[in-house]
């Protein structure tokens, strides 16, 4: 596989999501306005028709997610985006997509909650994102960008994984990632042919072939059990794609675990502490599901201690503790949603954890 790169552009994370989706062959976008992700539908409203695709501002997030389901059933690369309360409204359709084995991409630029909360950054949607979110036994593959370049790049992976596993894929950012502005190097792959994707299952008229059926309802005796076994096998197979960024972990006495924007801010704090002689490292999960548990297990087996930092009241820390439970525990520091963190906010929590035995 080769790729073609062009000159860098200076854009927001939200805009990088839109640019990346178009470069990855997306040809349908359905959405409804909500802060702080509004740059995505604003850009897509003009950019996707210019690329020969379709843009629909739906009457609600419920409608947008069901439009995504419909486009997915036709084998069209499509995505929707929203922020926390809007993504909550999409959960039924996402569950239907998982049960029907339909590929699509959902972007959540996480804002504060619960309820309407505020329009600032938060990581309070971690549980909803990695544990399914809607009804039934299903998971969504979850990517967590920390830079505008990752926002762009991850849209390729999101669509590829969605079609490889026939599953909804979630990209979980927040108001920091979505609204910050950075240089991004656009690129395109030369092996993309979305027109051929799903040729053996998509719905496009049955003339000259047997009819196809895409459904999430399994009423025959044992049928739902069989479908759930099929889905669980799929989620198990996804584990080979789990990955994380490791920073200064080789000689670290304490490893900080943080994702997305908080992982990036924590890295700045770790650089400051390293300059003072403190042996601290970072693991930043890039895939939240599948969770990169083996990375943490291997570090725990070497005697490392852990501190999980999140912009919430404690969610990913449960997965960290499960990963390292055979060897140790993880301390936790939660920066409350509603307050914007900086790297200095993490210095004392890290030093306190470093000093504990």
């Amino acid at each position: 596989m080769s790729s073609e790169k062009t000159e860098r552009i200076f854009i927001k994370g939200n805009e990088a999501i839109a640019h990346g989706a178009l470069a990855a062959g997306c040809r349908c976008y359905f959405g409804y306005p909500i802060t702080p992700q509004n740059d995505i539908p604003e850009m897509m409203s003009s950019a996707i028709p210019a690329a020969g695709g379709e843009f629909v501002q739906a009457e609600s997030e419920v409608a947008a997610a069901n439009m995504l389901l419909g486009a997915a059933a036709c084998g069209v690369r499509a995505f929707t985006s929203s922020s926390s309360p809007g993504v909550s409204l999409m959960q039924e359709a996402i569950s239907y997509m998982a049960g029907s084995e339909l590929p699509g991409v959902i972007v959540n630029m996480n804002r504060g909650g619960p309820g309407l909360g505020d329009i600032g950054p938060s990581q309070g949607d971690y549980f909803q994102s990695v544990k399914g979110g809607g009804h039934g036994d299903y998971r969504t593959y979850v990517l967590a960008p920390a830079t505008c370049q990752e926002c762009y790049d991850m849209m390729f992976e999101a669509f590829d994984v969605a079609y490889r596993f026939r599953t909804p894929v979630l990209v979980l950012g927040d108001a920091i990632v979505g609204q910050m502005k950075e240089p991004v190097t656009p690129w395109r792959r030369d092996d993309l042919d979305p027109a051929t994707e799903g040729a053996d299952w998509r719905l496009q008229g049955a003339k000259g072939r047997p009819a196809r059926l895409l459904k999430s309802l399994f009423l025959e005796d044992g049928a739902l059990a069989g479908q759930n076994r099929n889905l669980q096998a799929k989620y198990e197979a996804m584990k080979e794609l789990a990955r994380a960024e490791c920073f200064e972990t080789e000689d670290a006495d304490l490893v900080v675990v943080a994702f997305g924007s908080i992982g990036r801010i924590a890295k700045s704090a770790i650089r400051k502490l390293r300059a003072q002689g403190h042996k601290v490292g970072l693991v930043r999960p890039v895939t939240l599901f599948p969770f990169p548990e083996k990375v943490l297990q291997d570090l725990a087996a070497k005697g490392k201690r852990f501190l999980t930092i999140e912009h919430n009241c404690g969610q990913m820390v449960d997965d960290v503790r499960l990963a390292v439970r055979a060897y140790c525990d993880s301390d936790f520091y939660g920066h409350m949603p509603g307050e914007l963190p900086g790297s200095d906010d993490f210095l004392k929590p890290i030093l306190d954890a470093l000093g504990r035995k």
Side-chain angles (χ1 to χ4, degrees):
M1 179 183 73
S2 62
S3 62
E4 175 189 349
K5 294 191 175 183
T6 58
E7 292 185 1
R8 294 195 300 173
I9 53 178
F10 191 58
I11 53 175
K12 287 183 177 182
N14 282 336
E15 295 167 331
I17 289 282
H19 279 283
L22 288 167
C26 176
R27 290 300 175 264
C28 282
Y29 174 89
F30 316 103
Y32 186 81
I34 182 173
T35 305
Q37 63 83 51
N38 283 330
D39 309 281
I40 299 174
E42 180 180 0
M43 178 180 164
M44 295 302 281
S45 66
S46 58
I48 202 164
E54 299 292 335
F55 170 90
V56 178
Q57 179 173 312
E59 64 267 32
S60 68
E61 291 90 348
V62 174
N66 281 283
M67 291 176 185
L68 177 65
L69 184 157
C74 298
V76 177
R77 285 199 169 202
F79 91 104
T80 186
S81 63
S82 191
S83 296
S84 307
V87 176
S88 293
L89 290 170
M90 295 178 175
Q91 292 305 320
E92 182 183 40
I94 296 171
S95 175
Y96 275 53
M97 290 178 69
S100 304
E101 298 189 79
L102 294 175
V105 177
I106 303 97
V107 175
N108 180 5
M109 287 301 176
N110 200 162
R111 60 186 262 177
L116 287 177
D118 65 12
I119 61 172
S122 166
Q123 293 183 330
D125 295 358
Y126 179 90
F127 279 156
Q128 180 192 68
S129 303
V130 306
K131 307 302 181 186
H135 58 288
D137 293 296
Y138 77 94
R139 298 291 187 97
T140 52
Y141 189 93
V142 184
L143 291 161
T147 68
C148 293
Q149 185 68 57
E150 285 188 343
C151 286
Y152 186 96
D153 297 344
M154 284 182 178
M155 293 306 286
F156 286 84
E157 180 177 355
F159 280 109
D160 288 349
V161 169
Y163 274 86
R164 174 181 171 183
F165 291 100
R166 286 181 60 183
T167 189
V169 172
L170 182 70
V171 178
L172 181 63
D174 62 22
I176 296 175
V177 173
Q179 291 298 318
M180 68 186 180
K181 210 166 188 178
E182 294 181 312
V184 170
T185 302
W187 57 280
R188 293 178 179 273
R189 293 218 314 260
D190 60 7
D191 64 339
L192 288 175
D193 186 9
T196 66
E197 287 184 313
D200 59 339
W201 56 261
R202 67 191 183 197
L203 305 182
Q204 56 181 149
K207 186 175 181 179
R209 63 162 174 78
R212 294 168 179 169
L213 178 62
L214 298 173
K215 64 174 184 174
S216 63
L217 180 66
F218 298 87
L219 297 178
E220 300 83 1
D221 187 30
L224 179 59
Q227 175 66 344
N228 274 312
R229 290 189 187 96
N230 170 47
L231 294 177
Q232 294 307 311
K234 179 190 301 186
Y235 305 143
E236 185 67 24
M238 289 179 184
K239 289 184 178 180
E240 70 179 49
L241 301 180
R243 68 185 191 280
E245 175 196 3
C246 294
F247 175 72
E248 301 281 14
T249 57
E250 283 301 314
D251 67 339
D253 295 321
L254 178 75
V255 175
V256 174
V257 187
F259 74 92
S261 62
I262 298 303
R264 186 170 177 176
I265 295 169
K267 183 190 280 189
S268 295
I270 288 165
R271 285 195 177 104
K272 293 178 182 180
L273 292 171
R274 278 272 171 180
Q276 298 170 17
H278 300 289
K279 293 183 178 180
V280 187
L282 172 74
V283 170
R284 177 176 68 90
V286 175
T287 56
L288 302 184
F289 181 83
F291 192 68
E293 56 187 24
K294 190 176 186 309
V295 174
L296 297 175
Q297 287 170 355
D298 290 347
L299 290 170
K302 296 176 181 177
K304 312 292 185 183
R305 292 181 291 117
F306 297 87
L307 168 65
T308 303
I309 298 180
E310 301 180 69
H311 201 180
N312 57 38
C313 302
Q315 297 189 27
M316 184 181 68
V317 65
D318 289 358
D319 288 329
V320 175
R321 286 170 172 162
L322 284 170
V324 303
R325 68 190 184 279
Y327 305 96
C328 60
D329 197 358
S330 173
D331 289 330
F332 172 72
Y333 174 73
H335 195 89
M336 288 301 102
E339 299 174 348
L340 186 66
S343 58
D344 288 347
D345 293 308
F346 297 158
L347 298 178
K348 185 178 185 301
I350 294 173
L351 288 172
D352 287 348
L354 192 59
R356 282 192 282 272
K357 299 296 183 184

